[in-house]
């Protein structure tokens, strides 16, 4: 059996608005699902504030640890948009005007009227990227993200972030996607725990998780098996289903 | 003017289900809002997997850096619930049976019938805490969380996590809560950027953020000023409102 290639990623959510509670982040979940589809294991995510020293230190801490780093937030035209500059400083390169990014912005603002049509200095900031970076196109608002080495810098607005991620996703090199089987039942976790632990011990290559929930006032648990190997996953899931039945309940595939 | 006491916190979200994309986390936002109400600045959040070495290293990395650490997830009865044990190892203490936690579980299961009524070995795991820890009561399911030094260990299920946090919140020692004023308008961020940066420069003690949005197909931006000082906040917000008006739009208080 050949060794499996495990490709890893880390997400950095950059923005005071998440840490203040103003905004409920939904980018992490989108990226988690998309990375899994690309066969990439999301190993860690961090939410950090708009503070240059923190952004620089965090980027430099995580980029040697994971295959891919994805950042969200802080690439707009205002004073609190400092991600691009910080990533340049993290890599020790200059932040430079990218001619194509500028042309895209020019085309974007060309057909507009009023103050929002002006490609002013603030908007031109969005055409600056670290030297050597390549663009991530943004069909929504025209302001590009960029990639430098293994770091992908994307917008924080979900619609734009999603468009940027879909733009780069086909080019990501992942391993086999992790497949999942989820079985719900109404037993207590503590009732399932011993048998579930025994199954996990027999399937160390399958990640088995137990997630209790309350839905419409009722209590239940979802037992989730995850593995890139479909056959092993099916075997483990069958054992989980048998465990639920042995305890007097009926597993419901989710 | 006296120096302001800044009390800080870090949230650790422990769980493969967040990193796999199975679950959309909502605990961070709840904690962010609640900590702010308690006058505590949430400086960082991390999502980490159910891997003992990662949990131990992360707890030990962040606990000297922040006044309070809050963890969510991994304190149930199943094999993948390893947070309590990892926190004990992070502190270099034993994981011990807490008599009161056991009594609470006994009382909780006493009135029940069937397999879910049994206080078996797996459920008794939930009454184990690091030596020296104090309990965080859980009115929802009976299984306690705990506090050891500045680390608060809570459940991952949102209803339980929220109950536990509300339990400890009155005892947290914070500084002044950060107040916020949010003004929405339909101008582009790039149109506002220069004036906004000038206001930020005049109010270095007020944190001014610019958050673009799409709502019902329309584009706009929320300008948010945040400060624990109500008077300074009002001055800065007035300047932001004047900026919006000077550019031909009307600010809408959010």
């Amino acid at each position: 059996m050949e060794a499996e290639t495990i490709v890893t990623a880390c997400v950095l959510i950059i923005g005071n608005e998440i840490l203040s509670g103003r905004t409920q982040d939904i980018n992490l979940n989108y990226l988690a699902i998309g990375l899994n589809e690309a066969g990439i294991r999301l190993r860690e995510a961090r939410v950090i504030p708009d503070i240059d020293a923190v952004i620089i230190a965090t980027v430099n801490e995580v980029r040697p640890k994971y295959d891919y780093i994805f950042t969200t937030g802080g690439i707009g035209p205002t004073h609190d948009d400092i991600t691009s500059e910080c990533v340049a400083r993290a890599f020790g390169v200059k932040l430079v005007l990218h001619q194509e990014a500028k042309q895209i912005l020019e085309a974007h603002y060309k057909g507009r009227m009023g103050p929002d049509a002006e490609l002013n200095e603030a908007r031109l900031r969005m055409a600056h990227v670290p030297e050597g970076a390549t663009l991530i196109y943004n069909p929504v608002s025209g302001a590009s993200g960029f990639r430098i080495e293994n770091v992908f810098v994307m917008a924080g607005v979900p619609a734009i972030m999603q468009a940027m991620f879909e733009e780069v996703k086909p080019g990501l090199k992942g391993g086999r996607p992790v497949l999942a089987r989820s079985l719900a039942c109404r037993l207590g976790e503590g009732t399932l725990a011993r048998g579930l632990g025994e199954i996990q011990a027999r399937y160390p290559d399958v990640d088995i998780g137990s997630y209790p929930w309350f839905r419409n006032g009722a209590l239940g648990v979802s037992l989730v098996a995850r593995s890139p190997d479909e056959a092993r996953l099916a075997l483990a899931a069958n054992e989980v289903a048998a465990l639920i039945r042995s305890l007097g309940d009926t597993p419901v595939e989710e």
Side-chain angles (χ1 to χ4, degrees), chain A:
Chain A
M1 199 160 76
E2 286 182 31
E4 171 125 20
T5 308
I6 306 286
V7 182
T8 62
C10 174
V11 167
L12 300 181
I13 298 160
I14 301 169
N16 293 346
E17 71 277 23
I18 310 295
L19 293 171
S20 74
R22 178 186 183 278
T23 302
Q24 160 72 55
D25 170 72
I26 58 169
N27 288 333
L28 175 59
N29 189 251
Y30 188 92
L31 291 171
I33 292 168
L35 288 169
N36 190 56
E37 288 165 354
I40 295 168
R41 315 278 177 100
L42 177 57
R43 293 279 202 227
E44 181 179 356
R46 297 196 193 182
V47 187
I48 57 173
D50 304 322
I51 298 175
D52 54 2
V54 175
I55 298 171
I56 294 166
T58 306
V59 167
N60 279 336
E61 182 189 335
V62 299
R63 67 189 175 94
K65 282 176 70 178
Y66 303 100
D67 295 307
Y68 290 112
I69 311 299
F70 297 88
T71 79
T72 69
I75 63 167
T78 53
H79 65 277
D80 56 336
D81 290 307
I82 59 173
T83 299
S84 302
E85 187 199 317
C86 290
V87 171
R89 289 167 65 191
F91 278 87
V93 301
K94 282 188 288 190
L95 191 71
V96 295
L97 180 67
H98 191 290
Q99 287 304 329
E100 188 191 353
K102 185 187 169 195
Q103 285 159 14
I104 294 170
L105 283 175
E106 282 169 345
H108 184 81
Y109 288 108
K110 209 174 179 180
R112 293 171 189 242
M113 306 280 286
D116 286 346
E118 191 200 344
L119 187 50
N120 58 17
E121 196 184 324
R123 291 199 172 93
L124 268 181
R125 278 187 69 208
M126 298 192 289
H128 288 73
V129 301
E131 200 157 31
T134 53
L135 298 187
I136 301 174
Y137 299 114
N138 160 12
V140 180
S141 73
S144 305
F146 61 86
R147 171 190 188 163
I148 178 167
E149 294 185 16
N150 65 335
V151 179
F152 293 73
V153 175
M154 304 184 294
V157 176
I160 302 178
M161 197 288 302
Q162 292 169 17
M164 287 181 174
F165 182 69
E166 295 308 324
E167 180 75 27
V168 300
K169 194 178 165 195
L172 301 175
K173 287 185 184 22
R176 286 191 295 172
V178 176
L179 307 170
R181 286 277 299 278
S182 181
L183 297 168
C185 68
R186 308 298 288 269
L187 296 161
E189 269 199 302
T191 304
L192 292 152
R194 199 183 67 181
L196 203 65
E198 289 167 1
I199 298 171
Q200 177 69 88
R202 282 198 295 280
Y203 294 86
D205 53 329
V206 178
D207 178 35
I208 301 175
S210 168
Y211 307 114
W213 40 256
F214 296 99
R215 290 176 196 155
N216 309 320
L219 193 137
V221 63
S222 294
L223 303 176
V224 180
R226 304 181 81 247
S227 167
D229 186 320
E230 200 168 350
R232 291 285 292 170
L233 180 64
L235 287 172
N238 286 348
E239 292 211 26
V240 172
L243 171 68
I244 293 170
R245 284 194 201 92
S246 76
L247 292 164
D249 199 5
T250 303
V252 177
E253 193 98 27
E254 292 179 302

